[in-house]
Amino acid sequence: MEPLKVVIWGAGAMGLGVARMISRKQGIEVAGAVDLSPEKIGRTLDTLTGCPQQRAITVVSTLEEAMKADPDIVLIATASMTRDVFPRVMEVLKYGKPVITTAEEMAYPRPTEPELCRKMDDLACEKGVAVLGTGINPGFVMDLLVVALSGACMDVRKVKVTRVNDLSPFGPTVLHEQGVGMTEEAFREGIRAGTVEGHVGFVQSIHMISDALGLGVDRIDQGREPIVSKVRREEKGIVVEPGMVAGCRQTGYGFRGDELVVEMLHPQQIHPQLEGIDTGDSIEITGTPDIRLEIKPEIPGGIGTIALLVNCIPLVLKSKPGLITMLDLPVPFSYMGDYRRIS
Amino acid sequence: MEPLKVVIWGAGAMGLGVARMISRKQGIEVAGAVDLSPEKIGRTLDTLTGCPQQRAITVVSTLEEAMKADPDIVLIATASMTRDVFPRVMEVLKYGKPVITTAEEMAYPRPTEPELCRKMDDLACEKGVAVLGTGINPGFVMDLLVVALSGACMDVRKVKVTRVNDLSPFGPTVLHEQGVGMTEEAFREGIRAGTVEGHVGFVQSIHMISDALGLGVDRIDQGREPIVSKVRREEKGIVVEPGMVAGCRQTGYGFRGDELVVEMLHPQQIHPQLEGIDTGDSIEITGTPDIRLEIKPEIPGGIGTIALLVNCIPLVLKSKPGLITMLDLPVPFSYMGDYRRIS
C-alpha cells in the first residue's frame, strides 16, 4: 500500500511546518509543493525544510505541475480570508481532491461568505470530497474545545473564552500585523487603514459556538486596542520602548438581543512575562454545571495549527463530501502509528 | 413536526436525571419508562421526576409495553458491564431503534467483549441504527477530551490524566461500592470479593486513547487502594472515623512494552476538602507541544453523565449504523434550541 500523498500549497512558515511534521510520520509523505515566491520556485523542498527525504520535491509555481504527483489531498496555507483562498480551493476541487486550509475565515465561512461557500460546497459534493478550514484559533481552542466541553453540560447560558499568548515565536510579518513596535497613534491609524489586522477569527468562532449550542447570537461586536508596554521589549529586531505598542488586545462579544452570551478576549503581545503576565487558554462556561478550564501555558499557535492541519487529514479523507467544519468531524487526534492504517 | 421521543430504560438516578433534563428541552420528550423495581412499576413518571408534563407516562416492566410509544431512541441506564446490558441492547435493536447506554464498559467495549460487540454491531448495522456507550467517565473527561486535545500536538509520547472528585453527592449504593465507611481490612476484603468495585472504565479509557493515538498499549495494570481518612467524615448516614476508609484511589497504567504511555489516577472519596484536597480534572500530554489542562472543580459525574446521554441523542440519530464509540461522532454539544432543528 502506497503512503498517503500530500501537496502543500504555500511554502511559508505553516506550509513548511506541515512538510516537516509529515516527514516524521509513517505512511504519509509530501508529494508536491506550490509557491509563488520567486526565491522558492525551483528549489528542492529539503533546502527549505531541512528534511533530506524531501530532496526529490521541487517547489513549483502552479497547481497543475504539482498535481502530476496525484496527491490524496492538498493543504492550502497562503491567506487568511475566504475570498483569497476561494479560487485556490476551487482549482483543487476541479481535480477531485479534498482540501484543508489554514485560512482563518474558512474555519466557519458560511456567515460571512455564503455565496462563495455555496460554490465550494456544490463542487466538493459533485466531486465527492470534503473541504475543511482548521487551525489552533479559529478551529480549535476558542471554539471547538468550547463546544466539546459543553457536551458535559445540561444547559449553557454564557461562554467566556480567553487566550493570552506570546507572539515572540512569530516572524516579523505577524508582529507588524499585530502592531508590535508602533506608537499608539500609528497602531490606531493602522487599524483604520487595515494594516494592523489583529486576530482574524472571532466572527467565525462566535458563530460556530452559537450555531452548535443554539445560543442565537444576532450581533457581534469586536474591539482591537493597543497593548501599551510599561517596559522595554524587543523581538526580531523590533524594539518596543515603554509607552509603545507590544501587541493587540482583541475582544469579541456575541449578543442575543441585549444579552451577552459569548465573550472572547485575546491579548496578543511579545514577551508578556516581562510585565508578569502568565500566558494561557481559559474557558468559562456558565450553565449546569459551571465549568472552568485552564491550559497553561497556552497551546502554541504555530505548532498547534500545523498539528491540526496534519492530524485532520485522515478525518477529511473519510468525511462526507462538501464544505465542512470541525463540527462535522470526529474529534481530531495526534496519530503516532502508520497513517495508512487509519485512512 | 413531532418532538423526538425517548424511552428511558432504568428509572434510577441516571434515568430519572435524563427524564428531568429532557423535560427542560424543546422538541424532545420522554415517551416511556421501563424499570424492574416493584415500587416503581405502575407509577406515573412525574411522581418520580417531579416534572408535571410526565404525568401521562407510566413506568412499565417490559420494553415491549414501552415501545408502543414508537420512540426515536432508547436510553439504557441499568448496569455497568457490557454483558449485563447486552441482552437489553439486543432487545431494543430488534425494534430497529438506536441505543445510548451509561454502561461504563460500553464506552469502549471491543477489547473486553469482542464477541458480544460483534453481535450488537451486526444487528445494529442490519437495522441501520447506532449503539453508543457514553458518560462523563469513561466516555469524556479521561479519554475523549484527551484524544481531542492531542489534535493540537505534532506528536504524543505520554499521557497522564487525573480526576480527583467528591463522592458526597452520590447515593449510598455508590458509596458502598467505593468502600466508604469501611475499615481498611474490610475494604481489601471487599476488593477481593468484588463488593468494592472502585471505578469501572480505566481499561476502556486506556484502550480508547491508545487506539486513537496509535500508542500501542499492550498491557494494562490497575490498582485500587483505600483512601484512609485522617479526619472524621460523614455522608448519607455513613460515618468515616479517622483511620477508616473515605473512598478508593484507583490507578491505571497502560504500557507499550516496558514504557508507561498512559497513566490514570482517580481518587474518589467523600468530602475531600476536609483534608484540604482540591477536586479537579487534569490532563498532561507529554509531546510536541506539552499540554497541561486543568478543570477546577471536576466536572460533576452525575450531571455530566446525564448531560452527555441527552446531548449525544442528535449525534447518534445522524450517525452511521453499528456499534460506535465517542471517537466515531462529532464533538458533543449542549443544545439550547429546539431538538427538531438538529435531528
Side-chain angles (χ1 to χ4, degrees):
Chain A
M1 195 175 165
E2 290 260 297
L4 287 182
K5 289 186 287 186
V6 180
V7 158
I8 314 287
W9 194 338
M14 292 299 108
L16 295 177
V18 162
R20 287 185 197 103
M21 176 172 167
I22 289 175
S23 77
R24 294 193 295 266
K25 297 285 175 187
Q26 305 162 47
I28 184 168
E29 62 184 33
V30 177
V34 186
D35 199 280
L36 295 182
S37 139
E39 63 267 30
K40 289 176 184 165
I41 296 166
R43 286 177 65 174
T44 60
L45 192 56
D46 64 307
T47 65
L48 298 167
T49 61
C51 306
Q53 70 266 54
Q54 293 168 348
R55 195 171 301 156
I57 311 294
T58 301
V59 178
V60 295
S61 60
T62 67
L63 181 70
E64 191 185 355
E65 289 172 88
M67 293 308 279
K68 289 176 189 160
D70 191 30
D72 297 286
I73 192 164
V74 177
L75 307 190
I76 302 177
T78 59
S80 294
M81 303 299 170
T82 296
R83 61 179 174 275
D84 294 329
V85 290
F86 168 78
R88 291 175 185 175
V89 171
M90 294 296 278
E91 196 178 339
V92 177
L93 286 176
K94 283 174 193 151
Y95 286 91
K97 300 298 179 184
V99 174
I100 306 179
T101 173
T102 55
E104 285 94 329
E105 279 196 346
M106 283 287 286
Y108 206 72
R110 282 186 174 85
T112 51
E113 298 284 5
E115 187 52 27
L116 298 182
C117 287
R118 196 190 52 72
K119 288 179 182 167
M120 288 186 282
D121 189 51
D122 283 352
L123 187 54
C125 286
E126 185 194 317
K127 297 292 188 176
V129 297
V131 175
L132 172 73
T134 192
I136 195 71
N137 185 33
F140 191 78
V141 77
M142 294 188 88
D143 40 42
L144 188 75
L145 202 53
V146 178
V147 173
L149 207 58
S150 84
C153 295
M154 290 189 177
D155 57 68
V156 173
R157 290 187 298 282
K158 197 201 151 190
V159 162
K160 180 178 174 182
V161 195
T162 307
R163 179 165 166 83
V164 182
N165 66 333
D166 185 354
L167 287 176
S168 313
F170 289 87
T173 312
V174 171
L175 302 191
H176 285 300
E177 284 168 2
Q178 303 295 330
V180 177
M182 293 183 174
T183 63
E184 237 187 289
E185 199 184 355
F187 179 96
R188 295 190 193 279
E189 178 50 36
I191 291 284
R192 274 188 295 270
T195 52
V196 176
E197 286 195 63
H199 168 67
V200 177
F202 272 180
V203 171
Q204 288 67 37
S205 293
I206 292 171
H207 276 296
M208 190 194 290
I209 292 171
S210 176
D211 289 353
L213 274 57
L215 292 177
V217 166
D218 49 30
R219 180 166 59 90
I220 295 174
D221 285 350
Q222 279 202 82
R224 285 169 293 181
E225 290 294 322
I227 299 173
V228 179
S229 193
K230 294 192 186 77
V231 298
R232 189 180 190 278
R233 312 186 195 188
E234 183 174 351
E235 185 61 44
K236 311 268 158 32
I238 302 175
V239 175
V240 178
E241 298 289 352
M244 284 170 66
V245 175
C248 178
R249 178 177 292 109
Q250 187 117 357
T251 52
Y253 301 99
F255 294 90
R256 179 186 52 230
D258 288 337
E259 192 182 354
L260 177 62
V261 291
V262 182
E263 182 175 359
M264 302 213 155
L265 307 174
H266 188 18
Q268 303 198 84
Q269 62 200 293
I270 58 166
H271 301 301
Q273 77 286 356
L274 291 178
E275 290 196 21
I277 296 162
D278 287 333
T279 60
D281 297 309
S282 78
I283 298 172
E284 296 179 37
I285 294 179
T286 306
T288 310
D290 292 335
I291 297 181
R292 298 283 175 272
L293 174 149
E294 290 206 334
I295 298 171
K296 283 194 174 176
E298 86 281 15
I299 303 178
I303 295 175
T305 294
I306 291 162
L308 278 158
L309 235 69
V310 177
N311 293 338
C312 284
I313 291 173
L315 297 173
V316 168
L317 291 176
K318 285 197 238 182
S319 166
K320 65 175 183 182
L323 176 64
I324 61 170
T325 75
M326 293 298 278
L327 296 179
D328 298 301
L329 292 176
V331 297
F333 52 85
S334 180
Y335 194 65
M336 301 304 291
D338 190 310
Y339 270 65
R340 284 167 288 198
R341 252 184 255 150
I342 55 167
S343 299
Chain B
M1 196 174 163
E2 290 262 295
L4 287 182
K5 288 186 289 187
V6 181
V7 159
I8 314 288
W9 194 338
M14 291 300 107
L16 295 177
V18 162
R20 286 185 197 103
M21 177 173 167
I22 288 175
S23 77
R24 293 193 295 267
K25 297 285 175 188
Q26 305 160 46
I28 183 168
E29 63 184 33
V30 177
V34 186
D35 199 280
L36 295 181
S37 142
E39 61 267 30
K40 287 177 185 164
I41 296 167
R43 286 178 65 173
T44 59
L45 192 56
D46 63 308
T47 66
L48 297 167
T49 60
C51 306
Q53 70 268 54
Q54 293 168 349
R55 196 170 298 157
I57 311 294
T58 301
V59 178
V60 295
S61 61
T62 66
L63 181 70
E64 192 186 352
E65 290 173 86
M67 294 307 281
K68 290 175 187 161
D70 192 31
D72 296 287
I73 192 164
V74 177
L75 306 191
I76 302 177
T78 60
S80 294
M81 302 299 170
T82 297
R83 60 178 174 276
D84 294 328
V85 291
F86 169 76
R88 292 174 183 174
V89 171
M90 293 297 279
E91 197 178 337
V92 176
L93 287 177
K94 282 173 192 152
Y95 287 92
K97 300 298 179 185
V99 175
I100 306 178
T101 174
T102 55
E104 285 94 329
E105 279 195 347
M106 284 286 287
Y108 207 72
R110 282 186 174 84
T112 53
E113 298 284 5
E115 186 53 27
L116 298 182
C117 288
R118 196 191 52 72
K119 289 179 181 168
M120 289 186 282
D121 189 50
D122 283 353
L123 188 53
C125 287
E126 186 194 317
K127 298 291 188 176
V129 296
V131 175
L132 172 74
T134 192
I136 195 72
N137 184 33
F140 191 77
V141 76
M142 294 187 88
D143 40 40
L144 188 76
L145 201 54
V146 178
V147 173
L149 207 59
S150 84
C153 295
M154 290 188 178
D155 57 68
V156 172
R157 291 187 296 282
K158 197 200 151 190
V159 162
K160 180 179 175 182
V161 195
T162 307
R163 178 165 167 83
V164 181
N165 66 332
D166 185 353
L167 288 176
S168 312
F170 289 88
T173 312
V174 171
L175 302 191
H176 285 300
E177 284 169 3
Q178 302 294 332
V180 177
M182 293 182 173
T183 62
E184 239 188 285
E185 200 184 355
F187 178 98
R188 295 191 193 279
E189 177 51 36
I191 292 283
R192 275 188 295 271
T195 52
V196 176
E197 286 194 63
H199 167 68
V200 177
F202 272 180
V203 171
Q204 288 67 38
S205 294
I206 291 171
H207 276 296
M208 191 195 289
I209 292 170
S210 175
D211 289 354
L213 275 57
L215 292 177
V217 167
D218 49 30
R219 179 166 59 90
I220 295 175
D221 285 350
Q222 280 202 80
R224 285 169 294 180
E225 289 294 322
I227 299 173
V228 178
S229 192
K230 294 192 185 79
V231 298
R232 188 180 190 278
R233 312 188 196 186
E234 185 175 350
E235 185 62 44
K236 311 268 158 32
I238 302 174
V239 175
V240 177
E241 298 290 351
M244 284 171 66
V245 174
C248 177
R249 179 177 291 108
Q250 187 117 358
T251 52
Y253 302 98
F255 295 90
R256 179 186 54 229
D258 289 335
E259 192 183 353
L260 177 62
V261 290
V262 182
E263 182 176 0
M264 302 214 156
L265 307 174
H266 188 18
Q268 304 199 82
Q269 62 201 293
I270 57 166
H271 301 301
Q273 77 287 358
L274 291 178
E275 290 196 22
I277 296 161
D278 287 332
T279 60
D281 298 308
S282 78
I283 298 172
E284 295 177 38
I285 294 179
T286 306
T288 310
D290 292 335
I291 297 182
R292 298 284 176 271
L293 174 148
E294 290 207 336
I295 298 171
K296 283 193 174 177
E298 87 280 17
I299 303 179
I303 296 175
T305 294
I306 291 163
L308 279 157
L309 236 68
V310 177
N311 292 338
C312 284
I313 292 174
L315 298 173
V316 167
L317 291 176
K318 286 198 238 182
S319 166
K320 66 175 184 184
L323 177 63
I324 61 169
T325 75
M326 293 297 279
L327 295 179
D328 298 302
L329 292 176
V331 297
F333 52 86
S334 181
Y335 194 64
M336 300 305 291
D338 189 311
Y339 270 65
R340 284 168 288 199
R341 248 184 258 150
I342 55 167
S343 299

